[in-house]
Amino acid sequence: MTGPRQPDDSSATAGQSRPEGGYEHIDDDVCRSFQRSVEIVGKKWSAAVLLAAMRGARRFVDYRARIPGISNHLLSQRLRELEGHRLIERLVVPTTPVQITYRPTEQGASLMRVLHPLIEWSAKNEDMDT
């Protein structure tokens, strides 16, 4: 007589798969929160704007210089969106003429610290596009 059958990782039920890497403990609310966060950063130019902020861009012209190819309109839009998500802070300096500067918030900086491994990974794998 044989003992109880052990689960076999190679035979998944049709249409079902086993979670990989310990992600099965993540509940649906966390999944939705993750999706919202990924969509903020994954929107075209958003990550580039955040990275420029972390690299020292403060004025609009600094962002334009650090993000080749972005239009003025799109840069303005992304800065407003990231400000709305509390990732970038807009500061108005009451001088003549008025100066507007942007900087990452602590929340934006913490997001970029989490994304830093992705930056390193992309540098190592930049030949993916070819």
Side-chain angles (χ1 to χ4, degrees):
M1 185 161 159
T2 62
R5 185 172 178 200
Q6 296 297 316
D8 180 8
D9 289 341
S10 64
S11 63
T13 311
Q16 295 179 339
S17 62
R18 292 178 175 259
E20 292 185 30
Y23 296 101
E24 63 276 0
H25 71 280
I26 299 174
D27 67 22
D28 290 343
D29 289 336
V30 172
C31 286
R32 283 188 286 278
S33 177
F34 171 74
Q35 183 66 31
R36 283 190 301 272
S37 298
V38 167
E39 287 177 2
I40 291 167
V41 176
K43 198 168 193 178
K44 189 168 185 174
W45 300 109
S46 292
V49 172
L50 281 170
L51 184 56
M54 294 302 294
R55 295 180 60 219
R58 292 296 174 261
R59 311 241 1 239
F60 192 87
V61 294
D62 300 334
Y63 285 91
R64 282 296 313 268
R66 291 178 187 257
I67 310 169
I70 192 169
S71 69
N72 288 342
H73 175 75
L74 203 47
L75 176 56
S76 294
Q77 186 177 358
R78 290 301 175 264
L79 285 166
R80 279 192 305 273
E81 289 170 358
L82 293 170
E83 181 185 6
H85 291 296
R86 295 185 314 271
L87 299 173
I88 294 280
E89 180 179 25
R90 181 178 186 260
L91 303 164
V92 179
V93 181
T95 58
T96 305
V98 172
Q99 282 189 338
I100 298 174
T101 60
Y102 303 89
R103 67 178 182 207
T105 62
E106 180 51 42
Q107 189 174 352
S110 73
L111 173 60
M112 289 307 293
R113 284 190 294 273
V114 170
L115 291 176
H116 196 264
L118 180 58
I119 294 167
E120 291 174 340
W121 181 87
S122 64
K124 291 177 186 172
N125 294 282
E126 68 182 300
D127 60 341
M128 290 185 326
D129 293 338
T130 57

